Amino acid sequence: MATPGEPCTGLRVWNQTEQEPVAYHFLSLCFLRTAGSWVPPMYLWVLGPIYLFYIHRHGQCYLRMSHLFKIKMVLGFALILLYTFNAAIPLWRIHQGLSQAPELLIHPTVWLATMSFATFLIHMERKKGVRASGVLFGYWLLCCLLPVINTVQQASAGSFHQEPLHHLATYLCLTLVVAELVLSCLVDQPPFFSEESQPLNPCPEAEASFPSKAMFWWASGLLWKGYRKLLGPKDLWSLGRENSSEELVSQLEREWRRSCNVLPGHKGHSGVRAPETEAFLQPERNQRGPLLRAIWRVFRSTFLLGTLSLVISDAFRFAVPKLLSLFLEFMGDRDSSAWTGWLLAVLMFLSACLQTLFEQQHMYRAKVLQMRLRTAITGLVYRKVLVLSSGSRKSSAAGDVVNLVSVDIQRLVESVIYLNGLWLLFLWIIVCFVYLWQLLGPSALTAVAVFLSLLPLNFFITKKRSYHQEEQMRQKASRARLTSSMLRTVRTIKSHGWECAFLERLLHIRGRELGALRTSTLLFSVSLVSFQVSTFLVALVVFAVHTLVAEDNAMDAEKAFVTLTVLSILNKAQAFLPFSVHCIVQARVSFDRLAAFLCLEEVDPNGMVSSPSRCSSKDRISIHNGTFTWSQESPPCLHGINLTVPQGCLLAVVGPVGAGKSSLLSALLGELLKVEGSVSIEGSVAYVPQEAWVQNTSVVENVCFRQELDLPWLQKVLEACALGSDVASFPAGVHTPIGEQGMNLSGGQKQRLSLARAVYRKAAVYLLDDPLAALDAHVSQQVFKQVIGPSGLLQGTTRILVTHTLHVLPQADQILVLDNGTIAEMGSYQDLLHRNGALVGLLDGARQPASEGEGGAHAAATGDDLGGFPGGGKPTHRAERPRPTEAGPVKGSTTSEAQTEPSLDDPEATELIAGENSVRYGRVKTTTYLSYLRAVGTPFCTYTLFLFLCQQVASFCQGYWLSLWADDPVVDGRQMHAALRGWVFGLLGCLQAIGLFASMAAVFLGGARASGLLFRSLLWDVARSPVGFFERTPVGNLLNRFSKETDTVDVDIPDKLRSLLTYAFGLLEVGLAVTMATPLAIVAILPLMLLYAGFQSLYVATSCQLRRLESASYSSVCSHMAETFQGSLVVRAFRAQAPFTAQHDALMDENQRVAGCQPGAPGEWPGVCGRNMCCAEQDSLECRPRGLLCVRCPAGDTDSAVGGPQLDRSGEQHGGRGARAGLHSRPQGGSLRMNLDLLQEHTDEGIWAALETVQLKAFVTSLPGQLQYECAGQGDDLSVGQKQLLCLARALLRKTQILILDEATASVDPGTEMQMQAALERWFTQCTVLLIAHRLRSVMDCARVLVMDEGQVAESGSPAQLLAQKGLFYKLAQESGLA
C-alpha cells in the first residue's frame, strides 16, 4: 500500500492481482489524487455549458463592476497564470531531455482550460445579472480537493528542499482556490438597471448568497421575528412576479389551450368582441390528458430540478452503507493507517449532512411547485366560474366550488412530493438488493421472492382503498353542498325550526363519510404493516437461508450491521411506497373532479352579439326568430321571439308567473343556449337581477362596481334610488361594509342598491328584472319616477322593465306580454287595451272583486297595482334601517349633521366597524391539544401509547437479538444456535408487526372518533348561533372550516400523530440502544436534544402564526370564489370579468405571500306572546321594539317577522314551533318533494293539493320526475315567482296555528296573488296569519293591521278604523289609490 508520502507511480499501484482490502483501492492517496484531478474539470465542463445556456435565456440586467467582481477576476487570472506555469515546467523539462510522466503535462493543461472557462463564467454572470452562483461555488469547493491532497502528501514527504517550486505552486494554488471559494460565498451588488420595480419588503432569498440559499439562512430573520413578536401582513415578504397569480394562470391557461387545440374566440363581423366574451374553454372530450400535459409543460423545470436534488440526496444516502462497510473492514485490518479511519468517519458524517441538505432542497423546490400549482389551478377554477352556463350551475353549487378549491386542489398539490416515489422507491429497492447480493451472495435472491409474493396483496389493498377513497370524496362533496345550502339559508332554517332536521341529514352524510374514512385508513394500516412485514420477512428469510445454506454462513458484524442499514433503507422505501400510492390515488380522484368541473358547459360567447353604440342606429336591441333553452337537455323556454327595441324606448314586459320574462332578459344577456335565431345589442349593458346580488364590500364599492368614483353623480344616483337617507344613517356612510349576501340590509335596500349600481354605470341599455317588487307603493313610485320613468335619470336610454307592478304600464312606451314562452302581444298601452287581448286579461285578473262591475276592464285603472300615481306632491321617504349587525346603524335614534350626506373622504372609517381580526397569534395553546385528546378519549389515548410502546419494545428486542446472533462464536465455519436465533428473531418480528398494526389502527380509529365528535360539536355550535353571527361572519370562512379544515382534522392530524408517535418511540429506542452500547454518548445526546428543542421552539412559534394567517387569507379566497359564483350573471352582464379576476389574483397573491414564508309589540296578539319584544342581536345596539305586521318599507317590517319567532341571542322562541311556519325563502338543492316536505310528514296527495292551491300543479306536472325533480342549488332553475309559490305551498302543508307570510307574493303577478288570497282564506280559516306586504291591497281584508314606522308601532286596529283615523295608514292608502 502506498504511504502518505509515496507518489502515485509504479506498476504496483495498478496491480489488482494482490488481495488487499477494498478500502485500499478507494482511500489511497493515489485514488484521491486522481479523483481530485479529474472530478472538478468534469463537473464544470458538464454543467458549465448548461448553466451558460440557462443564464443566457433567463438573464437579467448586468451588474455593476463591483470590487467583489474585480477581485474574482484577478484571482481567476492568477490561477490561469499559475497553471500556465505548471504546464510550462514539464514542457521545459522535456525540452531539456528529461523524462516526464504524461500526467504532469495533461493535468495542468486540463486545469488551465477549466480555469479559463471558470473565469469566463464569472464575466458572463455579471453580464446576465447573476449575483450568487451555485455552479461556481461547487466548482471551487471541488477544486480545493486536489491542492489539499497535494499539500498533505508533500508535507508528509518533507521534500521541500528537493522541489521548492512545486511546493510553492501547490501552496499558492490552495490559497487562490480557497480565496475564490470564500468570495463565492458572498453576494454581488444588485443590477445596475432593474426592469422591475423593487417591492417594499422583498424576499431575502434574492439577496442571499449560495451557502445561505443552500442552508436556508436567509429565512432566519423571519423566524427570529416570529419568535420575538406577533407577525402581521406587513412582516411578510413580497411576492415575485414568477410566483404571482396573473403570471402563473396565464401560462397554464395558454398551455392548456394549446394542448386542447382550442383557439380563442375570433372577431365577429358585427363588431369587435371584448376579451371578456371569449370562451374560457369549450371542451369536446375528456380534458384530463391535455390538462396534465399543460401542467407538465409549465412546471416541469421546477419539478425536474427538485428531482435532481432528490437523486443526489439518494446517492449520498446509499453511500452511507458502503462507507460503513469500509469502516468495518478497516476495523478488521490492523495494518491500516489511522488516518483512513478518521477519513471514513468524516465521510460518513458528510454523506449524512449532504443527504439532508439535498433532500431539504428537494422539499423546498416541491413546496415552491405546490404553491405555484395551487395558484394556477385555483385561478383556472375561478375563471371557469365566470363563464359557467346556467345548466352547469345547476350541477354545481357554491359549496362544490369551495370544496373543489379547498380540498381537491390541496390534495392534488400535496401529491407533488410523492410523485417521485412511484419510480425512485423501486430504484431504492433494486440498489438495496444489489447491496444484499454483495454482502450475502445468492441468499439475497430469497428477498426478491418474498417481496414479489407480497405484491398482489398490496395491489388488492390499493384497489380497495381507491374505491373507499372515491366514496369518501363523494360523501364529502354531498356534505359540502348541503352545508353551503344550510349556511346560506340559515335565517329560513331557523324560522321554520328545521335545525334538527338539517343536522340529522348532515350528520347522516357525515356518518357515511367517516365510515368510508375508517375503512380506508384501516386498509392503509394493513398496507403499512404489510410492507413492514415484508421487510422483516426479507431479513428473516435472508438470514435463515444464509446461515443454513451458504458455505460462508457466519453472521459477522459487517454482514449483520450493514445488512440492517440496507434493510432500514429498504424499510423506508417500503413504508413510503404506500404513502405515495395513497396520495396519488387521492390526487387522481381530485384531479378527475377538477377536470370534470373545468370541462363543464360554458356560456356561448356567440349567443349574443354586442357592438359599440352607433348614433345612426335606430334599434338598440333586436331578436330575430329566437328560440332559447337553459341547457341542451331541457326543452326550449322561449319560442319564436321576434323583438326590436328602438333607442330611448321604455319597454315593459309583463306576464304570469313562469311565462319567461326573466328568461327573456337572460337571452338578451347571452346566458341562454340559442337554438336558432340571432340576438344583438348595441352599446353597453347594465343589468338589475330579480334577486339582488350585493358584494361583501362597502356601499360605495357596490355602487361604483369597479368604476372610477364620481362623487356628484354618486350622490345623485343614491338620492334618485331613495338611498340617500339610508346611507346617511349608516355609521360610516357610503364606506359602511355590507355583510355577506347583504344580510345586514333589508330586501328593499338590497334591491335599491342593485338598481343604483346599474344607474351609476351610465350604460346605453338597461335590463331591469322586476326591481320594484321589493318596494312598497310610495317608494316604488319615487324610484320609477326619478330613475326608470320618462323623466328619470335613465331617460334617453333603452330600458326593458320586467314588472308585476301594473300601475307603471301607462308610463311605458311599449308593452310586451309573454305567455308560456312566446310573445302574446306587443304595443303601446292604449293599443293593447283596444285589442282586448292578453294584457286586458292580466288587468282583469288583478282587479279587486268588488270593483269588477264598476269600471270595466278597459278603463284606465287606478289603485295599488292598476293606477298611475295618485296623490299629489313628491312622496317622502324615511331611512330604512339595516339589520342589526356590526355594520348596522349607530346607537342614537338621531342622525348627526355630518351624516346627512354620504361620507366619501374617510375610507378608513370602514375599519372601525369591520370587526376585530379573527386571526389568532402565538403558539397553539395546550388546551387545544388537550381538547383533541379528550375527543379521542383518555382510555383510547392510553391504549394507543401502550401499543406503540409494545411494538417498539419488540423492535428493540429484535435488533438486540440480532446483535447477539452476530456475536455468537463460529465453530468450523458455522454458528451453533443459528436455528434458535432465527426462530426467536421471527417471533419478535411477528409481534412487532401485530403491535404496529394495532397501534396504527388505534391512531386512525381514534382520529376518526375525534373528528366525528369535533365536527358534531362545531356543527351544533354553529347551528345554535344567532342570526347576527351569520350576518357578521362570511360564509366562505365557515365553508372553509367545514371543508378544508375538517379535512385536515379527518386526514392530516391522525397521520401526523402517527408519524409523531412512530418517530418519537423510534428515537427513544435509538437513544436507549446507543446509551447501552456507549454510555458516554449521553453526553452528546443531551446537548443535541436541547439544541433541537430550541430550534423546534423557534420554528413552531413562527409556523403557527403563518398557518393561521394562511388560513385566514385562504378563507377570503373561498368567500370571494363563492360570492362570484352567486353573482356571475351580474359580473358578465357588466363585463366586469377582468376586475373581478384581478381581485381574485390579488387575494390569491396575498395568500401565497403567507404560503411563501412557510414554506311584539305592546299588547297581545291572538296566539302570540309578543309583549315588549326585543330583537337586538348584539350588545352594542339598543333594543328596539318590534311589531308583527308591516306595510311600510322603511319601518323594519321583516325584522318584526324575525322578532316574532324571536331569533335572538337567547335562542328561544315566543310563539312555539308554529310561529316559525311560513317565512319566505328559496328552495334548496335536492328533490322538489324534499323542499316541500323536509320532514317527510305529508302524502303525495296533500302535496299536490297544496301545489294546486298556489297555481303550480300544472308547472310541476310538466317537470321531468315531477315531485322528484332535482332542484338546482338555491333553486336557480326556477323563476323567483315560482320559488315564492313553492315556499308558500310549503307553508300551507305545515297547517300551523300561526303562519307568517313575509312578502310571500311580491314576485307574482296580481292575478295570481288574488287567486292565492282566496285560497288562503279557505286553508287558514282557523289559523292566525301574520301578513307582511308592500301591496296595501293585500292587507285590506285583515282583521287587524299594525303600521310600523321607524321600528315602532305607529298605529293598530282594523283597516276601517285606521282609515277613519286618517293617520299614517290613511296616507299610505292615499298613495296607493285606495282612499
Side-chain angles (χ1 to χ4, degrees):
M1 180 185 293
T3 63
E6 182 181 350
C8 289
T9 57
L11 295 176
R12 183 176 180 274
V13 176
W14 309 103
N15 186 5
Q16 301 297 324
T17 61
E18 300 181 10
Q19 296 295 327
E20 293 183 347
V22 178
Y24 169 78
H25 302 292
F26 290 98
L27 298 176
S28 65
L29 288 177
C30 298
F31 175 80
L32 295 177
R33 278 193 62 190
T34 304
S37 299
W38 289 103
V39 169
M42 292 175 60
Y43 166 85
L44 192 62
W45 287 107
V46 171
L47 295 182
I50 301 175
Y51 177 63
L52 194 62
F53 176 75
Y54 175 81
I55 63 175
H56 177 73
R57 292 286 302 271
H58 301 86
Q60 300 176 358
C61 300
Y62 66 89
L63 305 178
R64 64 189 70 186
M65 194 174 292
S66 62
H67 295 295
L68 179 62
F69 168 76
K70 295 176 182 178
I71 297 175
K72 286 181 179 179
M73 293 298 292
V74 170
L75 293 178
F77 283 119
L79 285 169
I80 293 174
L81 292 176
L82 178 61
Y83 279 101
T84 303
F85 174 75
N86 288 341
I89 289 180
L91 289 175
W92 178 78
R93 290 178 177 176
I94 293 174
H95 182 70
Q96 295 294 324
L98 299 176
S99 176
Q100 297 290 313
E103 67 171 7
L104 297 180
L105 179 61
I106 295 175
H107 288 172
T109 305
V110 173
W111 277 66
L112 174 61
T114 307
M115 287 296 176
S116 302
F117 185 37
T119 306
F120 174 73
L121 283 179
I122 295 175
H123 171 70
M124 290 304 299
E125 284 179 343
R126 187 187 74 86
K127 298 286 290 184
K128 296 301 180 179
V130 179
R131 304 173 61 188
S133 174
V135 173
L136 287 180
F137 176 85
Y139 171 70
W140 297 122
L141 184 62
L142 291 174
C143 284
C144 293
L145 178 62
L146 180 60
V148 168
I149 295 174
N150 289 336
T151 301
V152 172
Q153 185 177 10
Q154 292 171 6
S156 301
S159 58
F160 180 81
H161 297 286
Q162 289 81 5
E163 294 182 345
L165 290 179
H166 185 63
H167 280 256
L168 290 176
T170 301
Y171 300 151
L172 181 59
C173 177
L174 178 60
T175 303
L176 293 175
V177 171
V178 170
E180 285 280 17
L181 177 62
V182 172
L183 293 178
S184 65
C185 295
L186 305 178
V187 62
D188 212 332
Q189 297 180 3
F192 195 72
F193 295 107
S194 180
E195 297 178 356
E196 299 180 0
S197 59
Q198 189 72 10
L200 297 178
N201 187 16
C203 179
E205 184 183 11
E207 303 287 335
S209 62
F210 177 76
S212 178
K213 293 180 180 179
M215 304 294 294
F216 302 102
W217 294 334
W218 54 271
S220 59
L222 183 66
L223 290 176
W224 279 109
K225 185 181 294 186
Y227 182 77
R228 295 192 305 264
K229 54 172 270 188
L230 301 180
L231 294 177
K234 295 182 180 179
D235 299 318
L236 305 180
W237 305 318
S238 301
L239 203 65
R241 178 171 176 80
E242 69 278 3
N243 295 321
S244 65
S245 180
E246 181 183 4
E247 181 72 17
L248 293 171
V249 178
S250 62
Q251 292 179 13
L252 183 58
E253 183 179 352
R254 182 170 58 251
E255 291 296 336
W256 192 17
R257 290 183 184 275
R258 201 175 85 180
S259 299
C260 298
N261 296 321
V262 176
L263 297 176
H266 59 278
K267 296 180 180 179
H269 295 288
S270 60
V272 179
R273 184 179 302 280
E276 290 84 356
T277 64
E278 295 180 358
F280 174 68
L281 181 68
Q282 291 291 352
E284 297 180 357
R285 62 183 185 275
N286 187 5
Q287 293 295 324
R288 184 202 302 170
L291 180 59
L292 198 59
R293 287 194 298 270
I295 293 175
W296 170 252
R297 290 171 182 171
V298 175
F299 303 108
R300 59 187 174 190
S301 59
T302 307
F303 177 77
L304 292 177
L305 185 60
T307 302
L308 177 62
S309 301
L310 185 59
V311 170
I312 298 176
S313 171
D314 289 339
F316 287 108
R317 184 193 309 274
F318 285 105
V320 172
K322 191 64 180 179
L323 292 173
L324 177 62
S325 177
L326 295 176
F327 185 78
L328 294 174
E329 186 179 330
F330 157 78
M331 294 182 64
D333 183 12
R334 298 184 178 181
D335 297 332
S336 300
S337 302
W339 65 270
T340 306
W342 286 102
L343 180 61
L344 284 170
V346 171
L347 288 178
M348 282 192 290
F349 176 75
L350 290 178
S351 296
C353 293
L354 291 174
Q355 173 205 334
T356 302
L357 184 65
F358 280 97
E359 189 174 25
Q360 294 308 310
Q361 284 294 324
H362 158 70
M363 292 299 298
Y364 174 69
R365 302 295 173 186
K367 291 297 183 181
V368 172
L369 178 56
Q370 287 179 331
M371 181 181 71
R372 294 175 176 175
L373 183 60
R374 184 174 71 164
T375 300
I377 298 183
T378 303
L380 283 185
V381 172
Y382 185 82
R383 285 153 176 81
K384 184 70 178 183
V385 165
L386 288 174
V387 295
L388 282 179
S389 67
S390 57
S392 299
R393 286 170 55 85
K394 179 181 178 180
S395 61
S396 301
D400 295 333
V401 178
V402 173
N403 190 60
L404 203 67
V405 171
S406 59
V407 176
D408 290 303
I409 292 181
Q410 185 67 23
R411 290 191 173 182
L412 178 62
V413 300
E414 285 177 353
S415 67
V416 170
I417 299 179
Y418 303 96
L419 283 176
N420 285 310
L422 294 180
W423 66 274
L424 200 56
L425 294 179
F426 289 101
L427 183 61
W428 283 22
I429 296 171
I430 293 174
V431 175
C432 287
F433 285 147
V434 171
Y435 271 141
L436 291 175
W437 180 276
Q438 291 179 348
L439 288 169
L440 305 175
S443 302
L445 291 175
T446 57
V448 180
V450 173
F451 183 76
L452 293 179
S453 64
L454 293 175
L455 282 181
L457 173 63
N458 288 283
F459 280 119
F460 173 77
I461 294 174
T462 302
K463 183 177 180 180
K464 296 294 291 183
R465 287 199 67 238
S466 176
Y467 168 78
H468 290 288
Q469 184 66 36
E470 292 178 357
E471 176 64 20
Q472 181 193 359
M473 294 299 294
R474 283 193 295 268
Q475 299 300 331
K476 189 186 298 292
S478 299
R479 174 174 60 82
R481 188 181 299 111
L482 182 59
T483 304
S484 174
S485 178
M486 176 180 174
L487 293 176
R488 296 182 185 281
T489 56
V490 65
R491 184 184 294 273
T492 300
I493 293 173
K494 286 181 171 293
S495 301
H496 287 79
W498 284 346
E499 296 95 333
C500 293
F502 269 88
L503 292 184
E504 183 179 351
R505 289 182 58 201
L506 202 55
L507 290 175
H508 179 66
I509 298 175
R510 176 67 172 169
R512 293 201 299 264
E513 179 188 355
L514 288 179
L517 178 64
R518 291 190 190 95
T519 306
S520 178
T521 53
L522 285 176
L523 290 173
F524 184 45
S525 302
V526 173
S527 180
L528 286 174
V529 173
S530 67
F531 279 95
Q532 179 72 21
V533 168
S534 66
T535 305
F536 155 72
L537 287 178
V538 168
L540 176 63
V541 173
V542 166
F543 288 155
V545 172
H546 181 73
T547 55
L548 297 177
V549 177
E551 295 181 0
D552 185 15
N553 60 1
M555 185 64 65
D556 56 13
E558 180 183 356
K559 291 179 181 179
F561 291 107
V562 176
T563 300
L564 284 178
T565 304
V566 174
L567 289 180
S568 66
I569 299 177
L570 184 62
N571 183 30
K572 291 180 181 179
Q574 293 177 327
F576 195 74
L577 189 58
F579 280 105
S580 300
V581 176
H582 170 61
C583 290
I584 296 303
V585 167
Q586 286 184 328
R588 182 181 178 275
V589 174
S590 297
F591 191 80
D592 289 343
R593 287 161 50 85
L594 278 168
F597 176 80
L598 292 174
C599 295
L600 290 176
E601 183 185 30
E602 300 175 3
V603 174
D604 184 8
N606 300 316
M608 182 268 293
V609 179
S610 179
S611 59
S613 177
R614 296 195 297 266
C615 298
S616 59
S617 177
K618 294 182 179 180
D619 296 332
R620 286 286 187 181
I621 301 173
S622 62
I623 303 178
H624 297 290
N625 195 26
T627 299
F628 307 92
T629 181
W630 284 102
S631 64
Q632 295 179 350
E633 296 80 13
S634 60
C637 56
L638 295 174
H639 311 266
I641 303 298
N642 288 280
L643 173 65
T644 58
V645 184
Q647 163 68 28
C649 176
L650 172 58
L651 174 66
V653 180
V654 295
V657 175
K661 302 181 294 299
S662 298
S663 299
L664 178 63
L665 299 188
S666 297
L668 291 173
L669 293 171
E671 296 294 327
L672 296 188
L673 184 62
K674 183 174 60 178
V675 179
E676 61 178 352
S678 62
V679 182
S680 64
I681 297 181
E682 290 186 8
S684 58
V685 178
Y687 171 65
V688 178
Q690 189 173 10
E691 292 182 283
W693 175 75
V694 294
Q695 294 180 264
N696 187 20
T697 57
S698 65
V699 175
V700 64
E701 290 175 338
N702 268 278
V703 176
C704 294
F705 205 63
R706 308 303 196 279
Q707 288 191 312
E708 293 183 3
L709 177 61
D710 184 351
L711 180 55
W713 177 243
L714 175 63
Q715 294 175 340
K716 191 174 182 179
V717 169
L718 292 178
E719 290 296 334
C721 294
L723 281 172
S725 55
D726 294 276
V727 172
S729 67
F730 293 168
V734 294
H735 297 293
T736 302
I738 296 176
E740 193 163 10
Q741 301 183 63
M743 291 189 70
N744 57 333
L745 301 179
S746 69
Q749 286 174 323
K750 288 190 289 185
Q751 192 62 268
R752 284 179 279 132
L753 192 64
S754 177
L755 179 61
R757 176 176 58 210
V759 176
Y760 185 86
R761 192 169 184 81
K762 298 181 180 180
V765 176
Y766 286 87
L767 305 179
L768 313 174
D769 195 352
D770 205 5
L772 307 177
L775 311 180
D776 61 10
H778 81 286
V779 177
S780 173
Q781 294 170 11
Q782 177 184 349
V783 170
F784 183 83
K785 182 178 180 180
Q786 298 187 14
V787 179
I788 306 173
S791 60
L793 290 181
L794 302 184
Q795 61 177 329
T797 63
T798 304
R799 293 143 291 164
I800 297 184
L801 173 65
V802 173
T803 183
H804 291 297
T805 309
L806 303 182
H807 71 255
V808 304
L809 297 184
Q811 309 296 321
D813 300 318
Q814 295 284 321
I815 300 174
L816 185 147
V817 183
L818 282 174
D819 187 15
N820 198 23
T822 60
I823 298 179
E825 59 181 359
M826 179 177 175
S828 66
Y829 183 74
Q830 295 298 330
D831 290 342
L832 296 183
L833 288 180
H834 291 306
R835 292 181 190 176
N836 197 20
L839 178 62
V840 173
L842 286 175
L843 296 176
D844 287 341
R847 296 180 64 86
Q848 297 189 36
S851 62
E852 287 181 357
E854 296 182 2
H858 308 284
T862 61
D864 188 26
D865 287 308
L866 304 179
F869 295 93
K874 180 179 178 180
T876 59
H877 170 63
R878 300 179 183 176
E880 180 178 352
R881 299 195 178 194
R883 300 196 185 278
T885 66
E886 293 181 1
V890 292
K891 279 189 177 183
S893 58
T894 61
T895 303
S896 64
E897 295 179 1
Q899 292 176 320
T900 56
E901 295 294 336
S903 175
L904 297 171
D905 55 352
D906 187 17
E908 295 182 358
T910 303
E911 301 177 2
L912 300 177
I913 46 180
E916 296 181 358
N917 192 354
S918 60
V919 181
R920 297 186 179 182
Y921 298 94
R923 302 189 61 169
V924 178
K925 296 181 180 180
T926 306
T927 54
T928 304
Y929 297 109
L930 293 178
S931 63
Y932 182 81
L933 295 178
R934 281 195 298 267
V936 175
T938 303
F940 214 100
C941 293
T942 306
Y943 179 65
T944 303
L945 291 176
F946 175 74
L947 289 176
F948 267 97
L949 180 62
C950 290
Q951 70 92 16
Q952 207 65 48
V953 168
S955 175
F956 176 81
C957 294
Q958 185 183 7
Y960 181 70
W961 187 261
L962 184 61
S963 65
L964 295 177
W965 190 357
D967 292 338
D968 281 348
V970 180
V971 179
D972 297 332
R974 292 181 177 273
Q975 293 170 310
M976 300 299 297
H977 306 290
L980 176 63
R981 298 292 189 187
W983 280 108
V984 175
F985 181 77
L987 177 61
L988 291 174
C990 292
L991 291 177
Q992 184 193 5
I994 295 173
L996 184 64
F997 171 75
S999 58
M1000 290 185 177
V1003 171
F1004 288 128
L1005 292 177
R1009 180 178 184 271
S1011 181
L1013 291 177
L1014 292 175
F1015 180 85
R1016 182 187 294 269
S1017 177
L1018 172 66
L1019 185 63
W1020 180 247
D1021 289 342
V1022 171
R1024 292 178 64 234
S1025 299
V1027 176
F1029 167 78
F1030 300 94
E1031 294 175 348
R1032 296 188 300 271
T1033 307
V1035 175
N1037 291 5
L1038 295 176
L1039 288 177
N1040 192 36
R1041 302 295 184 271
F1042 283 101
S1043 56
K1044 180 183 178 181
E1045 298 187 7
T1046 296
D1047 185 69
T1048 300
V1049 177
D1050 287 350
V1051 180
D1052 293 347
I1053 291 182
D1055 183 56
K1056 297 298 187 295
L1057 182 60
R1058 178 201 60 81
S1059 300
L1060 173 65
L1061 293 175
T1062 301
Y1063 289 124
F1065 280 94
L1067 183 62
L1068 181 63
E1069 177 192 353
V1070 172
L1072 181 62
V1074 172
T1075 304
M1076 291 179 60
T1078 309
L1080 288 178
I1082 195 70
V1083 179
I1085 291 176
L1086 289 179
L1088 287 176
M1089 291 180 64
L1090 294 176
L1091 183 63
Y1092 174 79
F1095 280 118
Q1096 185 72 4
S1097 177
L1098 182 67
Y1099 166 77
V1100 169
T1102 304
S1103 176
C1104 290
Q1105 297 186 63
L1106 292 177
R1107 286 182 180 272
R1108 291 191 181 109
L1109 289 171
E1110 182 184 10
S1111 178
S1113 60
Y1114 202 68
S1115 295
S1116 300
V1117 175
C1118 294
S1119 296
H1120 186 246
M1121 183 82 71
E1123 185 179 69
T1124 305
F1125 184 87
Q1126 297 292 334
S1128 57
L1129 178 60
V1130 177
V1131 175
R1132 287 194 295 267
F1134 281 78
R1135 297 293 188 264
Q1137 292 96 322
F1140 269 78
T1141 301
Q1143 182 182 359
H1144 165 80
D1145 291 344
L1147 291 172
M1148 199 68 205
D1149 289 346
E1150 187 66 24
N1151 174 256
Q1152 295 306 89
R1153 283 183 61 201
V1154 187
C1157 297
Q1158 184 178 356
E1164 294 184 1
W1165 194 271
V1168 178
C1169 176
R1171 184 175 287 110
N1172 297 328
M1173 291 166 48
C1174 173
C1175 290
E1177 292 182 357
Q1178 71 181 61
D1179 298 336
S1180 61
L1181 299 178
E1182 85 262 16
C1183 295
R1184 296 184 297 169
R1186 299 297 187 189
L1188 295 175
L1189 183 88
C1190 166
V1191 293
R1192 186 172 179 83
C1193 183
D1197 45 1
T1198 301
D1199 285 340
S1200 67
V1202 176
Q1206 193 61 41
L1207 303 180
D1208 59 3
R1209 290 189 182 273
S1210 64
E1212 299 176 355
Q1213 91 186 59
H1214 292 255
R1217 182 166 175 244
R1220 309 199 288 186
L1223 280 170
H1224 74 287
S1225 68
R1226 62 183 66 188
Q1228 316 285 325
S1231 68
L1232 194 63
R1233 195 191 194 288
M1234 185 274 294
N1235 275 281
L1236 291 170
D1237 184 20
L1238 181 67
L1239 304 180
Q1240 303 293 320
E1241 297 175 336
H1242 305 283
T1243 62
D1244 288 353
E1245 291 77 11
I1247 294 176
W1248 282 113
L1251 290 174
E1252 185 177 8
T1253 302
V1254 297
Q1255 312 294 317
L1256 278 181
K1257 182 177 181 180
F1259 168 73
V1260 175
T1261 305
S1262 65
L1263 294 176
Q1266 296 183 356
L1267 291 179
Q1268 301 304 321
Y1269 172 76
E1270 288 291 325
C1271 298
Q1274 308 299 312
D1276 292 335
D1277 51 348
L1278 305 174
S1279 70
V1280 177
Q1282 290 169 336
K1283 286 187 281 189
Q1284 282 193 330
L1285 295 180
L1286 280 177
C1287 294
L1288 183 59
R1290 182 167 60 198
L1292 297 180
L1293 286 171
R1294 297 292 298 271
K1295 296 181 180 179
T1296 57
Q1297 296 299 315
I1298 301 171
L1299 174 67
I1300 303 175
L1301 299 178
D1302 187 358
E1303 291 292 344
T1305 59
S1307 296
V1308 301
D1309 60 280
T1312 304
E1313 182 186 14
M1314 294 294 297
Q1315 298 176 13
M1316 290 169 53
Q1317 287 179 351
L1320 287 174
E1321 292 179 0
R1322 298 193 303 270
W1323 276 69
F1324 297 104
T1325 55
Q1326 303 298 324
C1327 175
T1328 300
V1329 179
L1330 309 182
L1331 177 62
I1332 300 172
H1334 285 136
R1335 293 173 178 173
L1336 200 63
R1337 182 165 49 86
S1338 302
V1339 302
M1340 296 305 291
D1341 294 333
C1342 294
R1344 188 175 178 183
V1345 175
L1346 251 66
V1347 182
M1348 303 295 297
D1349 186 27
E1350 294 293 331
Q1352 298 179 356
V1353 176
E1355 297 177 358
S1356 176
S1358 66
Q1361 292 174 342
L1362 297 181
L1363 289 175
Q1365 292 177 6
K1366 295 189 177 181
L1368 184 56
F1369 184 79
Y1370 178 78
K1371 293 180 180 179
L1372 291 173
Q1374 276 189 322
E1375 292 174 356
S1376 300
L1378 298 177

